[in-house]
């Protein structure tokens, strides 16, 4: 798994739209803890339209959180470049290892700015999509509770991904 995630950290990013209904329901139920009564959640999830709505919202928030993680990563590279001057040429192997970078080339300032802008734009689009989706929420849903539940699930699932990106 270390080899796989070294090349593509999205390997650790769950895709909630491809999970079976029972697996997704089970994941939501295990993440409820003290956020919501499990019986109330089961009752909501048994309604097909609400189940689909929650699943779609979960996938949107999942993608948004991933974009935020990437934006943080590229912001870190940008700030590192500004403070330690690693824009081009060679950097020490120790510095390259500490920052998961190639020591012979470093990262160009242009590349870092492009990636930072790309993920910033993705975050904005993701936030807009979440907002539009939440406007279509069924009236019987307490969106604050549902959002907390979904965020709790995603934070648990993206924990390993977050660690991998930090590494």
């Amino acid at each position: 798994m270390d080899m796989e995630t070294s090349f593509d950290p999205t390997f650790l990013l769950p895709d909630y739209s491809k999970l079976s209904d029972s697996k997704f329901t089970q994941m939501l139920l295990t993440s409820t803890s003290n956020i919501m009564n499990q019986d109330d959640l089961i009752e909501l999830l048994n309604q097909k339209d609400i189940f689909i709505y929650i699943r779609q919202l979960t996938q949107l928030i999942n993608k948004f959180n991933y974009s935020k993680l990437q934006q943080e990563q590229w912001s870190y590279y940008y700030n590192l470049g500004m403070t330690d001057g690693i824009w081009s040429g060679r950097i020490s192997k120790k510095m390259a290892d500490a920052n998961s970078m190639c020591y012979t080339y470093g990262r160009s300032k242009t590349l870092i700015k492009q990636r930072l802008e790309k993920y910033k734009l993705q975050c904005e689009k993701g936030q807009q999509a979440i907002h539009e989706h939440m406007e279509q929420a069924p009236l019987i849903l307490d969106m604050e509770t549902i959002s907390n539940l979904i965020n709790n699930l995603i934070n648990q699932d993206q924990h390993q991904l977050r660690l991998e990106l930090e590494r």
Side-chain angles (χ1 to χ4, degrees), residues 1 21 24 44 52 56 62 64 82 87 90 92 95 100 108 113-115 132 140 155:
M1 190 161 114
D21 291 353
F24 181 70
L44 281 174
I52 292 169
Q56 289 171 343
N62 185 43
F64 171 72
M82 295 300 285
W87 295 124
R90 293 182 175 267
S92 72
M95 176 71 103
S100 302
S108 74
K113 282 184 172 182
Q114 286 173 348
R115 296 282 170 84
E132 288 172 5
I140 64 169
N155 288 336

Side-chain angles (χ1 to χ4, degrees), residues 18-162:
K18 293 183 179 177
L19 291 175
S20 69
D21 291 353
S22 60
K23 176 76 174 163
F24 181 70
T25 301
Q26 189 59 40
M27 290 176 78
L28 279 174
L29 290 172
T30 57
S31 70
T32 57
S33 62
N34 56 5
I35 295 173
M36 183 177 194
N37 183 326
Q38 284 193 351
D39 294 335
D40 293 342
L41 181 59
I42 290 170
E43 187 178 317
L44 281 174
L45 294 175
N46 284 334
Q47 299 176 40
K48 194 66 174 167
D49 58 332
I50 291 177
F51 179 83
I52 292 169
Y53 175 84
I54 291 173
R55 178 180 275 211
Q56 289 171 343
L57 183 60
T58 303
Q59 187 62 18
L60 287 172
I61 293 173
N62 185 43
K63 286 182 179 180
F64 171 72
N65 283 357
Y66 176 71
S67 296
K68 265 188 0 188
L69 283 173
Q70 285 290 352
Q71 184 182 7
E72 289 169 10
Q73 183 81 17
W74 290 100
S75 276
Y76 171 75
Y77 284 144
Y78 182 79
N79 292 334
L80 190 65
M82 295 300 285
T83 58
D84 292 344
I86 60 167
W87 295 124
S88 59
R90 293 182 175 267
I91 58 173
S92 72
K93 285 186 179 183
K94 183 179 176 182
M95 176 71 103
D97 286 342
N99 295 291
S100 302
M101 300 173 77
C102 176
Y103 74 94
T104 55
Y105 302 109
R107 301 258 191 216
S108 74
K109 189 175 188 178
T110 306
L111 171 81
I112 291 174
K113 282 184 172 182
Q114 286 173 348
R115 296 282 170 84
L116 188 55
E117 198 56 39
K118 172 187 171 183
Y119 288 109
K120 184 178 180 181
L121 184 62
Q122 275 187 4
C123 282
E124 290 170 3
K125 286 181 179 180
Q127 203 165 26
Q128 183 180 1
I130 291 168
H131 179 71
E132 288 172 5
H133 192 70
M134 289 179 104
E135 286 179 347
Q136 300 169 5
L139 295 175
I140 64 169
L141 287 179
D142 175 7
M143 286 312 295
E144 184 176 337
T145 303
I146 296 297
S147 293
N148 288 336
L149 176 68
I150 291 171
N151 284 321
N152 191 28
L153 170 66
I154 291 171
N155 288 336
Q156 287 174 3
D157 285 351
Q158 285 188 0
H159 177 74
Q160 189 65 37
L161 176 64
R162 191 178 316 270

